[in-house]
Amino acid sequence: MSNPIVHVDLGERAYDIVIEAGALADIGTRCVDLFGAGKRVLMVSDANVAKFYVSGTEALLLRAGFQVSVIVLPAGESTKCVARLAEIWEEAVEARLDRKSFIVALGGGVIGDLAGFAAASFLRGIPFVQVPTSLLAMVDSAVGGKTGMNLPQGKNLVGAFHQPQMVLSDLSVLATLPARELHAGMAEVIKYGVIWDPEMFSFIESHVAEIKALDSEALHYLVKRSCEIKADVVRQDEREGGLRAILNFGHTLGHAIENVCGYGEWLHGEAIAMGMVYAAKISEVAHGFKADETDRLIALFKAFDLPVSWQGLEWGALYQAMTADKKAENALPKFVLAKEMGKVGLPEEVGMELLKKVYDDGA
Ligand code: NAD
Ligand code: GLY
């Protein structure tokens, strides 16, 4: 198997992403190398993930000489809230965490974002390790240092940039991830193909069955390549002053769909799959993106049972949500648009007539 490490080159905030089936077995020794033995550690997880991985991971950390506390929160997006954050802070006080202690976020993007924000804020910032267990978390949320939580008024309204000390992605944990979640994660992987890497896009087209069957070489290639791309983007623009915004391809309509339908009806990856088709169709008109390429995108999403059509979603509500999005300036929604497969531009405003026409034409 090829090199398991992707280095995120951020100077004094640099860290490694370890991508390997079985990587979790080394968590104790890797954390000793990073933090020194004997430190206090608070592991945060959710109830679904805990069923499979909490006691084993706790045992590994104890065996490595750490003083371990554990908090298990309910699974789901609603956990990313101030009340659950306060529970983590309280547990951190109870466990007597100090500035040399660290947090381990063992779970999907919900746990990674919330535990990461707890680490960013407790004692004005303590170190943390991301152990992503969903495909989406492995290829996106665990990498790049965005942490945060939701308010009743909207998603991710409170947060901080706080890079982890390590990301430990054990591909074998994907065996217990529900297929629908795996496919939603694939939407983000496919996104990297469209914005950056047409070769990876072609690879996915020709390996759908292997990916669905969790073929370890295919998964290793996809997770590693996605992390390399995200690491490259984040290295160039850690705080989203410019380039990092290309990671939002498909997200303008995607966020609007999540907003209008309520979080829970569509998974994030499903919403952005629809959003990417919408953005590709706008790109055809605005930048001459080839209709054949949009067709490839639609076919690939369908192969992973992802939705591609916004039919049935009401235009007025979607448009209002798109203009209310925090990325919209002057009330005109902004979109990352594709020029060709593997190449996109920075977000740009798109006029209402074109947006409505593409909406009416459908997918
Ligand atoms: P999630 O954390 O809710 O995980 C999805 C579901 O899968 C949950 O029910 C979880 O319990 C379960 N699960 C996770 N791993 C499992 C495993 N190995 N076995 C069995 N069940 C498992 O959702 P997600 O899709 O991982 O992440 C979505 C969150 O990530 C959102 O809150 C989103 O805002 C955030 N996000 C953050 C960033 C970022 O840059 N920080 C980027 C993208 C998304
Ligand atoms: N998920 C987008 C980002 O990390 O910037």
Side-chain angles (χ1 to χ4, degrees):
M1 183 78 64
S2 56
N3 178 7
I5 307 287
V6 173
H7 185 66
V8 186
D9 187 5
L10 287 172
E12 61 186 16
R13 292 180 305 289
Y15 55 96
D16 283 343
I17 306 169
V18 184
I19 303 155
E20 209 170 19
L24 201 46
D26 299 332
I27 189 167
T29 48
R30 286 192 186 275
C31 286
V32 170
D33 290 347
L34 281 171
F35 306 110
K39 303 287 186 313
R40 294 196 171 92
V41 46
L42 173 59
M43 181 160 62
V44 183
S45 192
D46 78 24
N48 292 342
V49 174
K51 269 193 286 191
F52 301 106
Y53 307 112
V54 158
S55 58
T57 309
E58 184 182 14
L60 289 164
L61 289 166
L62 286 168
R63 207 175 306 151
F66 293 107
Q67 301 175 60
V68 188
S69 307
V70 177
I71 177 166
V72 175
L73 301 170
E77 186 66 32
S78 58
T79 279
K80 245 174 73 172
C81 68
V82 69
R84 300 296 179 194
L85 175 69
E87 285 182 35
I88 302 176
W89 284 334
E90 279 157 26
E91 188 61 41
V93 173
E94 183 86 5
R96 294 191 293 124
L97 261 57
D98 58 28
R99 284 233 172 92
K100 294 195 168 137
S101 311
F102 61 100
I103 286 180
V104 169
L106 174 73
V110 164
I111 290 300
D113 279 12
L114 191 70
F117 187 52
S121 48
F122 188 69
L123 301 179
R124 299 196 181 84
I126 63 170
F128 84 117
V129 169
Q130 289 272 21
V131 185
T133 59
S134 68
L135 180 61
L136 182 135
M138 288 181 190
V139 300
D140 190 3
S141 61
V143 177
K146 280 188 184 175
T147 69
M149 56 164 204
N150 307 325
L151 294 180
Q153 291 83 353
K155 231 179 102 115
N156 296 328
L157 285 181
V158 175
F161 286 96
H162 189 55
Q163 300 292 344
Q165 262 58 35
M166 172 174 67
V167 181
L168 195 57
S169 290
D170 182 342
L171 299 173
S172 62
V173 306
L174 296 176
T176 55
L177 186 71
R180 186 177 170 198
E181 298 286 352
L182 183 86
H183 298 164
M186 277 308 297
E188 295 282 3
V189 179
I190 292 166
K191 178 193 80 180
Y192 290 118
V194 180
I195 67 170
W196 201 270
D197 189 346
E199 259 179 50
M200 182 169 77
F201 190 92
S202 303
F203 176 91
I204 301 168
E205 288 179 310
S206 55
H207 290 79
V208 171
E210 289 90 333
I211 296 164
K212 285 182 156 183
L214 301 179
D215 174 83
S216 55
E217 275 187 38
L219 281 179
H220 186 265
Y221 166 67
L222 294 178
V223 174
K224 188 171 177 200
R225 187 70 195 117
S226 299
C227 288
E228 283 169 354
I229 295 167
K230 184 153 184 188
D232 204 357
V233 170
V234 169
R235 179 183 55 77
Q236 294 179 56
D237 178 22
E238 186 181 2
R239 289 185 166 244
E240 203 166 317
L243 180 71
R244 186 165 178 165
I246 68 168
L247 299 174
N248 294 324
F249 179 66
H251 284 54
T252 312
L253 182 69
H255 282 156
I257 291 172
E258 289 181 290
N259 215 312
V260 167
C261 298
Y263 298 95
E265 171 154 1
W266 296 107
L267 299 179
H268 177 69
E270 294 168 341
I272 66 153
M274 294 181 260
M276 283 189 262
V277 174
Y278 187 65
K281 291 203 165 264
I282 298 167
S283 306
E284 288 177 19
V285 182
H287 290 297
F289 187 65
K290 293 204 173 74
D292 288 356
E293 301 288 37
T294 307
D295 291 343
R296 285 175 73 196
L297 188 59
I298 291 173
L300 198 49
F301 286 147
K302 285 185 174 166
F304 285 99
D305 312 312
L306 288 162
V308 294
S309 166
W310 43 88
Q311 211 174 15
L313 298 170
E314 204 245 315
W315 166 250
L318 286 179
Y319 187 69
Q320 197 187 14
M322 287 195 287
T323 51
D325 190 271
K326 60 182 182 268
K327 282 173 273 296
E329 282 166 19
N330 312 321
L332 268 186
K334 284 184 146 189
F335 286 78
V336 174
L337 298 179
K339 298 178 177 185
E340 56 190 75
M341 189 58 81
K343 200 164 166 204
V344 292
L346 294 178
E348 56 189 277
E349 289 180 347
V350 178
M352 216 259 271
E353 299 74 36
L354 177 54
L355 295 181
K356 178 73 164 60
K357 182 181 179 325
V358 174
Y359 168 86
D360 286 337
D361 289 348

